[in-house]
Amino acid sequence: MKDQFYRIVTLLATIAYFVPILIVVFKKLWKDNYFLLLGIYWLAGALVNSITNIPSISTSSLEIITVVYNMIDIPFILWILWYTSSSSLLAKILRVVIVVYIITELILVFNLGINYDAIKYIIGAGVLVVLIALTWEITLYLQRMEHNNREKSMLFLYAALLFEYGSSIIIYIFDYYIIPDDQVDKLLIYYISSLIAIMIASFGFLLKKNKKSLLF
């Protein structure tokens, strides 16, 4: 019963990852770089999840794909937050953090190879940085008395990312410190949290109005 539920959730989550970029395309939100970049962010997740769920994929190939994706994922989301930040101070901090983070990743992989152990600690640190940056941005938005349509949409997207990366802490602990006997439980947490995050994000994308619609 649990295995059947897992397969259904996996399929739904994999499909859901494509939803943000589809909304971006059909609503023509690509004119706003913030929404385009986040659409691409979830599209990357969709492609990786599709590949890693191929039944015939080998364990070694799965590890390489997962490690490379995790190495790219955090610098990419930090770059998006830097590029769109409403705080000049946060932007300056993120610019330095991104450079240091990428250099550290490359050094670790060069010395230890492309494997889970190489990114064990740097991924944990990266998730914490993302959560701090997201909380910083959300706090700045909430301090404002009024919000325009774009800002309201961004708040939902920030909330989706905050939930996603907050949930990833649990996955991270299971991956590296508390290895469960049944890996299905860990993956269920991952896919269910992804579904919830994407639903929140999709509402944010749908809430955004393009410039043409704002004229009416």
Side-chain angles (χ1 to χ4, degrees):
M1 183 67 179
K2 185 169 71 173
D3 288 341
Q4 184 178 7
F5 178 67
Y6 166 72
R7 286 193 292 270
I8 293 172
V9 172
T10 301
L11 178 61
L12 289 175
T14 302
I15 294 172
Y17 267 98
F18 288 97
V19 172
I21 193 64
L22 290 175
I23 297 175
V24 169
V25 171
F26 286 110
K27 290 199 67 177
K28 299 181 181 179
L29 299 179
W30 62 75
K31 298 175 183 178
D32 190 319
N33 287 337
Y34 176 79
F35 294 91
L36 173 61
L37 289 171
L38 283 178
I40 293 172
Y41 164 78
W42 270 294
L43 175 62
L47 296 175
V48 171
N49 275 286
S50 298
I51 294 171
T52 55
N53 282 309
I54 297 174
S56 59
I57 191 169
S58 66
T59 303
S60 58
S61 297
L62 180 62
E63 181 174 10
I64 292 173
I65 292 170
T66 303
V67 170
V68 172
Y69 173 67
N70 285 332
M71 288 179 64
I72 297 172
D73 177 74
I74 289 178
F76 183 49
I77 199 66
L78 287 175
W79 180 78
I80 293 175
L81 293 173
W82 164 76
Y83 183 73
T84 60
S85 178
S86 58
S87 167
S88 58
L89 176 58
L90 178 59
K92 290 177 182 178
I93 294 173
L94 288 178
R95 187 165 51 201
V96 175
V97 169
I98 292 168
V99 173
V100 173
Y101 191 90
I102 292 174
I103 292 173
T104 304
E105 280 187 324
L106 293 175
I107 292 173
L108 289 170
V109 169
F110 180 79
N111 289 321
L112 302 175
I114 304 176
N115 54 65
Y116 293 125
D117 288 337
I119 62 170
K120 179 177 181 178
Y121 299 108
I122 191 68
I123 290 297
V127 170
L128 288 176
V129 172
V130 172
L131 290 174
I132 291 170
L134 286 168
T135 303
W136 190 327
E137 283 290 346
I138 290 173
T139 301
L140 289 177
Y141 275 100
L142 292 178
Q143 287 175 349
R144 301 174 187 175
M145 297 299 293
E146 295 183 1
H147 302 89
N148 58 33
N149 172 260
R150 184 178 187 274
E151 290 171 342
K152 291 177 181 177
S153 300
M154 291 176 71
L155 272 174
F156 277 99
L157 294 174
Y158 282 138
L161 290 170
L162 187 66
F163 180 84
E164 183 173 27
Y165 279 91
S167 301
S168 70
I169 292 178
I170 301 174
I171 309 299
Y172 173 76
I173 293 172
F174 278 134
D175 270 337
Y176 296 106
Y177 299 102
I178 306 175
I179 301 175
D181 295 329
D182 190 352
Q183 293 293 316
V184 171
D185 292 333
K186 180 195 73 175
L187 292 171
L188 272 174
I189 294 173
Y190 168 73
Y191 287 117
I192 291 173
S193 61
S194 296
L195 272 171
I196 295 172
I198 292 172
M199 284 192 289
I200 298 171
S202 296
F203 183 81
F205 281 109
L206 290 170
L207 186 64
K208 174 69 169 68
K209 299 177 181 178
N210 57 37
K211 291 183 178 180
K212 184 177 180 180
S213 64
L214 291 174
L215 297 176
F216 297 92

